[in-house]
Amino acid sequence: MRIAVLTYYRVANFGANLQALSTYAYLKKEGHDVEFIEYVSKMTQRGYKNFLLYYLTKIYRFFSPRPENLQEKEHIRFVDDVIPNQKLNLHSSKEVREYLLGNKFDGVIIGSDAVTQHWPVFSTMKLSLKRPYWFEPIQPERKFPNPFWGDGFCRDIPTAMMSVSSQNSPYKKFSSITKRRISSLLKDVRFISVRDSWTKNMMLSCDADLNITITPDPVFALNQNLGDMIPNEKTVREKFGICNNYVLIGLRKQVFSVDF
C-alpha cells in the first residue's frame, strides 16, 4: 500500500523525531510504500505572529545575522538521513488534500504526537505583573480545523489517527458549533487511537458514539521496529568510553553557588 504519514517530525525534538522513525520503520518492514507529509503553516514557518514584526526582524538580521542554530540543524539532518521519502512545505488543508489525491495514496496515518489540538481564543488569555492580560497567538497547527484533524481529505482517503494527543486542550471551553464540526470530521476517520485519557474524553465530548482506543507512543516500539539499526550496549559503551559502573547526574537549569 502507498501510505502517507502526517505528523510533527521535522523539529528540534527527540520524541517527535523518534516516533516518526519508529512509525516509518514499522510500515516499511510490513512492505508498504511510505511517504511523510510536512504540514507547516506559514505563520510557524516564518516564526513570527504578524507580518510587520516578520519584515522588521528580517531587515535587522540582514545587518546583524544571528548564529546558526546547530541543534535544530542536526535534528533536521537526522530526520532527512533516516526518512528519505518526504513531501515538504504544505501550508494548508487545500495543499495537503491536492497532494494526497494527486499522488494516489491508499491511506493516511495521522500522528503520533500532539496533533489534535484546539485552543479557543479566550483559553489563551495570559496574566502577568507587567501587563494586566493578553491573548497568546495560536498557530494554525494548534487550532481546529487543520490537516492534522483530517480536514480536507479524510472523506476521500481512508484515514487513521495513531496515538494522537490534544496536549490538554481545554475541551470544556469548546463551543457547541466547534464540537459538531469535530464530530463530523472524526466520523469519517476509519480508526482512532489516542495516547491519553484527556484526549479520549475530549473526542467523546464531541461525539459520544466514537470508538476510541488508548495506545502508547510508537517510540515504545522503537527497538523492535528498527532492529539492527539500534546499537547494543557494548557498542555504545565502546563508542563513548563508558565504564561498567557509572552515575547519571542531572543539573538544574539554575545553579546556586554556596560559600562555606
Side-chain angles (χ1 to χ4, degrees), residues 173-226:
K173 297 182 180 180
F174 289 4
S175 68
S176 57
I177 295 176
T178 297
K179 288 185 175 182
R180 285 198 296 270
R181 293 174 66 195
I182 290 175
S183 171
S184 178
L185 266 184
L186 294 183
K187 284 180 186 295
D188 291 315
V189 177
R190 302 288 184 89
F191 173 80
I192 302 175
S193 75
V194 299
R195 66 185 190 191
D196 54 81
S197 58
W198 183 278
T199 303
K200 180 177 181 178
N201 292 335
M202 179 191 78
M203 292 183 174
L204 291 177
S205 74
C206 299
D207 189 336
D209 294 327
L210 291 172
N211 184 15
I212 300 172
T213 305
I214 296 180
T215 53
D217 189 292
V219 174
F220 282 88
L222 184 69
N223 288 26
Q224 178 181 345
N225 291 336
L226 267 65

Side-chain angles (χ1 to χ4, degrees), residues 110-136:
I110 299 173
S112 171
D113 221 315
V115 290
T116 53
Q117 298 187 47
H118 178 62
W119 297 82
V121 174
F122 291 103
S123 69
T124 65
M125 187 174 71
K126 305 293 183 181
L127 301 174
S128 75
L129 297 177
K130 295 182 180 180
R131 46 185 171 172
Y133 66 88
W134 79 98
F135 293 99
E136 178 187 1

Side-chain angles (χ1 to χ4, degrees), residues 10-260:
R10 294 186 94 248
V11 292
N13 181 287
F14 291 110
N17 304 154
L18 294 179
Q19 62 88 7
L21 176 56
S22 182
T23 302
Y24 178 79
Y26 173 78
L27 293 172
K28 291 295 288 185
K29 188 168 60 175
E30 293 296 311
H32 300 295
D33 180 13
V34 187
E35 184 170 345
F36 269 66
I37 309 298
E38 183 197 34
Y39 160 61
V40 54
S41 69
K42 291 183 179 180
M43 175 188 286
T44 298
Q45 199 169 56
R46 292 188 179 103
Y48 297 96
K49 307 301 190 264
N50 61 66
F51 293 103
L52 178 60
L53 183 58
Y54 169 69
Y55 286 111
L56 287 175
T57 306
K58 196 170 184 179
I59 293 171
Y60 170 78
R61 285 183 180 163
F62 177 79
F63 295 101
S64 179
R66 67 178 179 180
E68 187 177 22
N69 188 330
L70 295 179
Q71 179 180 346
E72 181 178 2
K73 182 179 179 180
E74 284 302 303
H75 278 270
I76 300 302
R77 183 193 62 78
F78 169 76
V79 170
D80 290 344
D81 284 347
V82 297
I83 303 179
N85 300 325
Q86 303 177 54
K87 174 59 179 176
L88 307 180
N89 298 320
L90 297 179
H91 303 302
S92 65
S93 295
K94 180 181 178 182
E95 291 184 10
V96 172
R97 170 186 168 81
E98 289 176 351
Y99 184 77
L100 292 174
L101 293 178
N103 287 273
K104 296 181 169 55
F105 284 94
D106 299 305
V108 179
I109 294 176
I110 299 173
S112 171
D113 221 315
V115 290
T116 53
Q117 298 187 47
H118 178 62
W119 297 82
V121 174
F122 291 103
S123 69
T124 65
M125 187 174 71
K126 305 293 183 181
L127 301 174
S128 75
L129 297 177
K130 295 182 180 180
R131 46 185 171 172
Y133 66 88
W134 79 98
F135 293 99
E136 178 187 1
I138 298 295
Q139 298 96 326
E141 292 93 328
R142 301 178 64 204
K143 293 177 65 177
F144 175 88
N146 64 49
F148 290 135
W149 287 89
D151 181 46
F153 59 84
C154 67
R155 291 183 173 89
D156 302 302
I157 305 175
T159 301
M161 290 183 172
M162 181 183 67
S163 299
V164 299
S165 173
S166 64
Q167 198 73 20
N168 291 333
S169 294
Y171 66 88
K172 294 180 181 179
K173 297 182 180 180
F174 289 4
S175 68
S176 57
I177 295 176
T178 297
K179 288 185 175 182
R180 285 198 296 270
R181 293 174 66 195
I182 290 175
S183 171
S184 178
L185 266 184
L186 294 183
K187 284 180 186 295
D188 291 315
V189 177
R190 302 288 184 89
F191 173 80
I192 302 175
S193 75
V194 299
R195 66 185 190 191
D196 54 81
S197 58
W198 183 278
T199 303
K200 180 177 181 178
N201 292 335
M202 179 191 78
M203 292 183 174
L204 291 177
S205 74
C206 299
D207 189 336
D209 294 327
L210 291 172
N211 184 15
I212 300 172
T213 305
I214 296 180
T215 53
D217 189 292
V219 174
F220 282 88
L222 184 69
N223 288 26
Q224 178 181 345
N225 291 336
L226 267 65
D228 295 337
M229 288 181 64
I230 301 292
N232 57 38
E233 181 180 353
K234 180 181 178 181
T235 302
V236 174
R237 287 182 181 276
E238 290 177 352
K239 180 177 180 179
F240 296 101
I242 303 174
C243 59
N244 291 330
N245 298 316
Y246 61 92
V247 177
L248 294 178
I249 300 176
L251 300 178
R252 293 177 59 88
K253 190 172 183 179
Q254 183 176 3
V255 179
F256 298 91
S257 61
V258 179
D259 295 329
F260 292 95

